[in-house]
Amino acid sequence: MADQISPEQTAREEDLIAQVVQSFENTPDERMKYLLQELVKHVHSYVRTVRLTEAEWNTAIEFLTRVGHATTRHRQEFVLLSDVLGVSMQTVAVNNEVYGNATEATVFGPFFVNGAPLIENGGDMSGGAPGEPAWVEGTIRGADGEPVPGARIEVWEADAEGFYDVQHEGGRVYGRAHLFADEEGEFRFWGIFPTPYAIADDGPVGDLLTATERSPYRPAHLHFMVTAPGYRTLVTHVFVRGDEHLGKATKDAVFGVKDSLIYDWSRHSADEPTPDGRDLQGKPWAGLHFDVVLAPGQAVDYAALME
Amino acid sequence: MADQISPEQTAREEDLIAQVVQSFENTPDERMKYLLQELVKHVHSYVRTVRLTEAEWNTAIEFLTRVGHATTRHRQEFVLLSDVLGVSMQTVAVNNEVYGNATEATVFGPFFVNGAPLIENGGDMSGGAPGEPAWVEGTIRGADGEPVPGARIEVWEADAEGFYDVQHEGGRVYGRAHLFADEEGEFRFWGIFPTPYAIADDGPVGDLLTATERSPYRPAHLHFMVTAPGYRTLVTHVFVRGDEHLGKATKDAVFGVKDSLIYDWSRHSADEPTPDGRDLQGKPWAGLHFDVVLAPGQAVDYAALME
Ligand SMILES: [Cu+2]
Ligand SMILES: [Fe+3]
Ligand SMILES: [Fe+3]
C-alpha cells in the first residue's frame, strides 16, 4: 500500500473491513463463513493496495457483465477467465499436493465428455479424426511402484485442426475413449499426434488477452484421467517437447504446462513397422511412452463436479 | 495458510503465481499491468489460504454465472454483489480520503437520475411522493470554513413505502431534484422523512444474504451530491438517528453508514408552524439541519462514471 495514507484514513478503511467481516459472523455453515470472510479480506486488500479508482471499479463491473452475458449453455466465459488468470490451475495445484513421484495434475478443461466409447486395450481412440496416428503405451503404478491393474483410463484430444469433436455440429464422436489397464497395469492405444489450439478468444476474455498482448494458444496435448480405488484421481495432460507454444515467448494460455508433463514423442516414417503390426496404409506415425504414478487417495468424480 | 504445506508444494504454488504474473509483463498500459498482476497475486493468495476445493471453485463459477444472468439493462447484480461485500464502499473510502473535518462520503447507489428537476432554494423536491414532509436546511462550506455560494446540490430519496420513482412503471418523477446554494452557501428545501428499504434480494445476491443470515435492509437515508469548482465532489447520505436498521443486530446491507452521517431529525406536530410558513394542511412534519464541509479537489462526474 502507498505509504502516504494517514492513520485516520487507514483506520477508516480497516474499520470498514471489520464491519463486513462481522456481517458474515452469523453464517450457519462454518466453511462458508470462513470462505466469505477471507474473500472480503482479500478483495478489500486488493482495492486498498492498488487504490482502485471509481472509474476502474466501473470498468471491472462492465467487464464482469460482459463475461456474464458471454456465458451460455455452450460456453463458460467465467471458467475461461479463471483459466487465463491461472486460478483454475492454482485450484488444481492446491487439491493435488505433491506426493513423492506421483504424476503431476493439470487442468480438466471444458472438452471432457462423460460416456466416451469403451475401447479394448490396444484399440483406437481416434474415431477416424484427421491426424497422424500415434501409438501410446505405458504402465499405471502407485507411488510404491505397485502396478494398478484395471485402472480406468479416459483419454481425449483435439484433431489435427485443433478442434474437439464437441466443437462441431452434428454430434460425431471422435478423439475420445476410455479403456482399462491390464493385469500388469499396462495400457496401450492408438490416438493421433496432438495439435496446438487457441482457446475461445472472441469474447471479453479474448479481449483481455489482446489488451495484454498474450497468446490464446494452448500447446499440443493429450488429456488423461486415471481412476482406481484407493488412489487420488489423476487429471493431466501429456505435452510434446519441441512444441512452439512451449517456447519462451508464448506460453500455455491457461498455465497447464508442467516440465514433468513435457514428453518426447518418437516420430516414425511409413516404412517402420508399427508396435502392434497394424497396417497404416503408408502413413508416418508417432509414439509415446507415458508411465503414470498415482498418489494414494480418493477417487473424485470430475465429470459430475464440472457439470 | 495452513502450515503443513510441504516446501515442494509451496514452491509449485508460488512458481505458478510467478508464471501468471509474468504473462502480463508485456501489457502496454502500465496501470492495467499493475492492476492485473496485483489481482493475480490476491486471487491466488485467496485460493491458497483457504485451500479452495474443486467443488467450491465450481460453486463460485455457478454463482458468478447466476449473477451474470441476473444482470440486465435494468438490474446490476454485480454492483449489488460489490455492495454487499463492502467493495463499493471501500472504493468510495479509497477515493475520498479523510480531509480535516470534510463530510464523509458514502455509496452512490443505483437510484440517481441525471437531469432531475431544478427547484428554487426553499422549494419542494418531494414531487408529491407519499411521506411526512421534512424541512432540510444547512450551509455548504469548504474545509477552512468558507461558504461555497452557488454549490450545486442534488438530492434524492425513496418514498414512504421505500421505493424510488424509477422503481415504478410509468416514468413519474418524484423524490429527486437539484438546487443551488445561495450567496451565503445556504440551502433549504422540503423533502420527506426517509424510510428504510430492502435492496433487490430476489436474485443470487439475495440468496447469499439469506444463506449468511444477513438483512437486505438499508437504514432510512436522504442522498446528497454536492458539486462546486475547486472542491472534491461529495456523494453522501444523511441517516436518521434511532432507525431500527442502525441497531446492533441489523446493519446497512451495503455498509454505507458512517457515525458522522447519522443525524437527529426533529419531529413536529401539525400545530407547530413550519420554518417557511408553509401550510401543511394538518400534517406533522420533520426537520433536519445538515451542514456540509467539502474537501478541496476536483469535481467528479459520477453520473457519467456510473452509467
Ligand atoms: Cu490478498
Ligand atoms: Fe485440451
Ligand atoms: Fe438510497
Side-chain angles (χ1 to χ4, degrees), chain A residues 41-43 45-46, chain B residues 41-43 45-46:
Chain A
K41 291 179 201 167
H42 282 81
V43 177
S45 164
Y46 176 71
Chain B
K41 290 179 199 166
H42 282 81
V43 177
S45 164
Y46 176 71

Side-chain angles (χ1 to χ4, degrees), chain A residues 9 12 31 35 44 46 50 52 54 56-58 65 69 71 76 82 85 93 95 98 104 302 305, chain B residues 9 12 31 35 44-46 50 52 54 56-58 65 69 71 76 82 85 93 95 98 104 302 305:
Chain A
Q9 176 67 21
R12 198 179 271 185
R31 176 70 179 168
L35 288 174
H44 282 246
Y46 176 71
V50 304
L52 192 73
E54 287 165 316
E56 286 161 354
W57 175 88
N58 204 44
T65 300
H69 291 163
T71 297
Q76 236 309 351
S82 168
L85 294 176
N95 287 278
V98 173
E104 285 193 78
Y302 280 93
L305 203 61
Chain B
Q9 176 67 21
R12 200 179 270 186
R31 175 71 181 169
L35 288 175
H44 282 245
S45 164
Y46 176 71
V50 303
L52 192 73
E54 288 165 315
E56 288 161 353
W57 174 89
N58 204 43
T65 300
H69 291 164
T71 297
Q76 235 309 351
S82 168
L85 294 177
N95 287 277
V98 174
E104 285 194 76
Y302 279 92
L305 202 58

Side-chain angles (χ1 to χ4, degrees), chain B residues 165-173:
Chain B
D165 55 359
V166 291
Q167 294 177 281
H168 293 293
E169 304 274 298
R172 205 186 130 203
V173 175

